[in-house]
């Protein structure tokens, strides 16, 4: 066994459908035991490495329901991602290694309906679901303002209690309707209906059949973050992601956004 600190790679610094540094790390970085691949753009180009290293990968399929809107202008439609995902399963990628990320949810009435449509589409073919609620970082507010959209929480960073309650109500409905699914969340203390578990947790080590370190601290990317401290970013954020999502928390996110106003679909 290779000595030294061991890591699970992550692709949070961009989208791995554009930046394939995660493949290089899997094949060349001896400190990497596995990779959590988080993508909004699952495509056929990713199939070869995903299938080659399927035992060492957990795929987070990020689908928000906002594809093609001003909020997420350059991502594929839900049905396109669904069909591509079904093709990947048909070629042998294990469903147990897949997490559906409805991330983030905009917890307005229409936003919750969009999330529900996403889950309805994917519920029969996934086993884990991770959710979050949109956070209004300064960069996010700037992009919303340029796009001519109202801020969903007014001046606040996080949703008011009534929106959190509505999200928990939907979660409870999901849990009753889909008892075979696990619903997870990280750094979302208000979502009491979801299991508070890190994007990297002991569950992921178990799924990947990797022995977790005996002592693992929390990563603490945020004060309430539940992730284990063995995450290692593989994309580096050096290649700007072309998805153009307004809600991206990276300060080096898109500098220009569509001027098309679609305020109605947010509220």
């Amino acid at each position: 066994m290779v000595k030294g600190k061991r890591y699970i790679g992550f692709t949070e610094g961009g989208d791995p459908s554009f930046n394939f540094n995660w493949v290089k790390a899997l094949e060349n970085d001896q400190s990497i035991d596995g990779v959590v691949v988080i993508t909004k753009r699952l495509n056929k180009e990713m199939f070869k490495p995903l299938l080659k290293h399927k035992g060492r990968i957990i795929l987070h399929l990020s689908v928000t329901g906002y594809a093609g809107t001003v909020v997420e202008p350059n991502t594929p439609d839900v049905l396109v991602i669904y069909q591509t995902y079904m093709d990947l399963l048909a070629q042998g990628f294990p469903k147990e290694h897949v997490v559906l990320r409805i991330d983030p949810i905009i917890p307005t009435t229409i936003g919750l309906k969009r999330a529900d449509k996403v889950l309805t589409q994917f519920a029969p073919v996934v086993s884990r679901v991770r959710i979050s609620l949109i956070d209004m970082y300064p960069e996010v507010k700037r992009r919303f303002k340029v796009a001519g959209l109202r801020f969903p929480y007014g001046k606040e960073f996080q949703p008011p209690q009534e929106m959190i309650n509505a999200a928990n109500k939907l979660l409870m409905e999901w849990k009753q309707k889909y008892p075979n699914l696990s619903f997870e969340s990280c750094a979302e203390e208000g979502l009491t209906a979801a299991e508070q578990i890190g994007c990297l947790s002991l569950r992921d080590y178990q799924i990947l059949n990797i022995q977790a370190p005996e002592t693992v601290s929390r990563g603490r990317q945020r004060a309430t973050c539940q992730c284990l401290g063995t995450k290692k970013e593989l994309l580096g954020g050096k290649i700007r992601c072309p998805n153009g999502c307004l809600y991206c928390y990276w300060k080096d996110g898109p500098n220009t956004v569509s001027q098309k106003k679609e305020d109605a679909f947010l509220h």
Side-chain angles (χ1 to χ4, degrees):
M1 182 174 178
V2 179
K3 295 182 179 180
K5 190 171 182 179
R6 316 293 303 162
Y7 299 94
I8 300 295
F10 260 71
T11 65
E12 293 177 313
D15 196 304
S17 63
F18 300 109
N19 183 336
F20 279 76
N21 284 345
W22 57 280
V23 181
K24 297 177 183 178
L26 268 172
E27 297 179 345
N28 302 314
D29 188 339
Q30 296 301 306
S31 71
I32 298 295
D33 286 325
V35 174
V36 175
V37 176
I38 307 171
T39 183
K40 290 182 172 66
R41 280 183 160 271
L42 181 67
N43 56 45
K44 296 297 179 69
E45 189 178 1
M46 299 174 69
F47 277 26
K48 184 175 180 179
L50 286 173
L51 293 168
K52 178 181 178 180
H53 301 284
K54 61 185 179 182
R56 300 173 63 199
I57 290 175
I58 291 180
L59 174 64
H60 283 210
L61 201 60
S62 185
V63 187
T64 68
Y66 281 96
T69 71
V70 65
V71 172
E72 196 175 297
N74 303 322
T75 57
D77 182 77
V78 172
L79 292 179
V80 172
I81 293 298
Y82 174 80
Q83 188 55 62
T84 308
Y85 170 58
M86 294 303 292
D87 290 345
L88 181 66
L89 291 184
Q91 293 189 40
F93 195 85
K95 185 179 79 169
E96 296 75 18
H97 285 226
V98 177
V99 178
L100 174 66
R101 288 180 74 113
I102 310 179
D103 172 33
I105 294 172
I106 300 177
T108 59
T109 300
I110 292 178
L112 293 173
K113 288 181 179 179
R114 283 179 176 266
D116 188 55
K117 287 182 180 180
V118 171
L119 185 60
T120 299
Q121 183 69 52
F122 282 89
V125 291
V126 295
S127 56
R128 296 172 65 188
V129 180
R130 295 191 65 84
I131 67 170
S132 76
L133 305 181
I134 188 172
D135 289 324
M136 295 302 293
Y137 291 94
E139 279 294 297
V140 178
K141 287 184 177 180
R142 179 189 67 78
R143 298 186 197 112
F144 268 60
K145 185 176 181 179
V146 171
L149 301 180
R150 287 179 288 165
F151 302 158
Y153 316 144
K155 296 180 180 180
E156 301 301 318
F157 173 72
Q158 292 181 316
Q161 190 60 49
E162 58 266 28
M163 284 189 172
I164 295 175
N165 292 343
N168 276 319
K169 181 177 181 293
L170 180 60
L171 270 167
M172 293 302 297
E173 292 172 357
W174 283 350
K175 291 169 77 171
Q176 292 179 355
K177 188 174 182 179
Y178 308 109
N180 295 327
L181 298 183
S182 66
F183 293 94
E184 309 167 0
S185 190
C186 182
E188 295 282 356
E189 292 183 312
L191 290 180
T192 54
E195 180 182 5
Q196 295 299 309
I197 184 172
C199 302
L200 177 62
S201 67
L202 293 178
R203 180 174 298 166
D204 298 296
Y205 276 92
Q206 293 168 355
I207 291 171
L208 292 173
N209 196 28
I210 298 171
Q211 183 175 353
E214 293 183 5
T215 303
V216 182
S217 62
R218 299 293 181 190
R220 296 304 181 195
Q221 293 175 308
R222 290 175 284 176
T224 54
C225 181
Q226 299 295 312
C227 291
L228 300 180
T230 45
K231 292 171 65 174
K232 184 176 183 179
E233 175 58 48
L234 301 182
L235 302 187
K238 295 180 180 180
I239 299 177
R240 179 164 303 201
C241 175
N243 286 333
C245 304
L246 299 193
Y247 53 76
C248 181
Y249 59 86
W250 286 92
K251 290 184 179 180
D252 62 346
N255 287 323
T256 58
V257 295
S258 170
Q259 296 298 315
K260 184 180 179 182
K261 296 183 179 182
E262 299 186 42
D263 195 66
F265 70 75
L266 290 175
H267 300 274

